[in-house]
């Protein structure tokens, strides 16, 4: 269990965001909307066991023995036991080269310890319509009690994809949304904004 290495304070140049993490069962304090959007992606990633914000501060030394202080934005622990540190930065800041030295030094440091490191920008994080779909359904992940009897009933009766509108005619809306939010009912979440006309099917994994 990690505690944030840096205490996040209010700032005129940063938007402090409180993100209610269902996976970690606590509220995270994040330094930008972009970070909160990345956290949302992690909540839905079934390969992620847990993740931590501002996990640790590192002191990195270059070839001239100059020391750099660096705290990555996230540490992800995957279900297979591997770990990856993440830096979330707007694309224009990444491309400016301002942080290249520190990122390269930390890339080397994390590789030595067997960990991964990746810089994520809005180009990866803000993919449409995926992000909008995840944001819409995330509120329904806060309710941990699922109607699994309903899921069993629906999955036995509906054997081919149907429109959500047709499914909703016979079943409670909130329960259906919960089943979508937890991945038991699927739709083309990467390519289609959700609507009543979306084709839905059942996850048999």
């Amino acid at each position: 269990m990690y505690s944030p290495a840096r205490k996040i304070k209010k700032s005129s140049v940063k938007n402090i965001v409180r993100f209610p993490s269902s996976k970690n069962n606590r509220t995270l304090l994040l330094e930008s909307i972009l970070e909160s959007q990345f956290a949302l992606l992690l909540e839905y990633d079934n390969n992620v066991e847990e993740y931590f914000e501002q996990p640790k501060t590192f002191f990195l030394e270059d070839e001239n023995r100059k020391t750099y202080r660096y705290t990555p934005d996230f540490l992800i622990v995957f279900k297979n036991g591997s770990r990856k540190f993440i830096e979330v930065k707007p694309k224009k800041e990444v491309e400016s080269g301002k942080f290249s030295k520190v990122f390269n030094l930390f890339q080397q440091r994390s590789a030595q310890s067997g960990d991964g490191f990746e810089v994520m920008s809005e180009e990866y994080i803000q993919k449409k319509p995926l992000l909008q779909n995840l944001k819409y359904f995330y509120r329904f992940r806060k309710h941990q009690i699922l109607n699994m009897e309903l899921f069993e009933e629906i999955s036995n009766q509906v054997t081919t994809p149907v429109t959500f509108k047709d499914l909703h005619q016979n079943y409670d809306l909130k329960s259906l949304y919960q089943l979508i939010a937890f991945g038991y009912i699927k739709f083309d979440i990467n390519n289609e904004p959700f609507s009543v006309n979306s084709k839905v099917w059942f996850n048999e994994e």
Side-chain angles (χ1 to χ4, degrees), residues 27-185:
T27 298
L28 313 183
L29 277 182
L30 305 176
E31 292 185 299
S32 69
I33 293 174
L34 193 60
E35 285 188 19
S36 70
Q37 292 171 339
F38 181 71
L40 182 63
L41 299 183
L42 296 180
E43 292 289 327
Y44 281 92
D45 190 336
N46 291 329
N47 295 312
V48 172
E49 179 69 32
E50 56 185 344
Y51 64 95
F52 306 93
E53 78 282 23
Q54 309 285 330
K56 183 179 179 181
T57 296
F58 295 85
F59 295 90
L60 311 169
E61 190 175 273
D62 68 10
E63 65 278 7
N64 297 316
R65 305 187 69 84
K66 181 179 178 180
T67 300
Y68 300 82
R69 181 188 177 102
Y70 174 61
T71 305
D73 291 320
F74 293 96
L75 169 62
I76 305 172
V77 180
F78 294 96
K79 290 181 178 177
N80 65 5
S82 63
R83 309 192 321 166
K84 181 187 282 188
F85 290 97
I86 297 292
E87 177 68 30
V88 175
K89 277 276 187 288
K91 183 180 178 181
K92 64 179 181 180
E93 292 190 24
V94 176
E95 293 180 342
S96 73
K98 179 181 178 181
F99 303 97
S100 297
K101 182 74 171 182
V102 173
F103 291 166
N104 288 335
L105 287 172
F106 188 69
Q107 180 86 59
Q108 297 169 23
R109 170 73 173 266
S110 56
Q112 290 172 0
S113 60
D115 297 322
F117 174 63
E118 193 167 357
V119 179
M120 297 290 189
S121 72
E122 68 273 16
E123 201 168 43
Y124 171 84
I125 296 170
Q126 296 179 342
K127 289 180 180 177
K128 295 181 180 180
L130 175 62
L131 184 62
Q132 287 72 19
N133 285 330
L134 297 183
K135 286 170 66 176
Y136 182 77
F137 284 103
Y138 188 61
R139 74 192 84 171
F140 298 99
R141 289 176 72 97
K142 298 175 184 177
H143 307 283
Q144 298 290 339
I145 300 177
L146 296 174
N147 189 341
M148 296 309 297
E149 291 184 3
L150 174 64
F151 173 71
E152 292 290 338
E153 178 185 338
I154 300 173
S155 60
N156 288 331
Q157 292 185 13
V158 183
T159 56
T160 58
V162 297
T163 66
F164 184 80
K165 179 169 57 178
D166 290 339
L167 189 63
H168 174 42
Q169 288 180 357
N170 300 311
Y171 299 103
D172 171 62
L173 181 64
K174 181 180 177 182
S175 295
L176 292 177
Y177 278 177
Q178 279 187 285
L179 292 173
I180 292 175
F182 282 94
Y184 294 102
I185 296 178

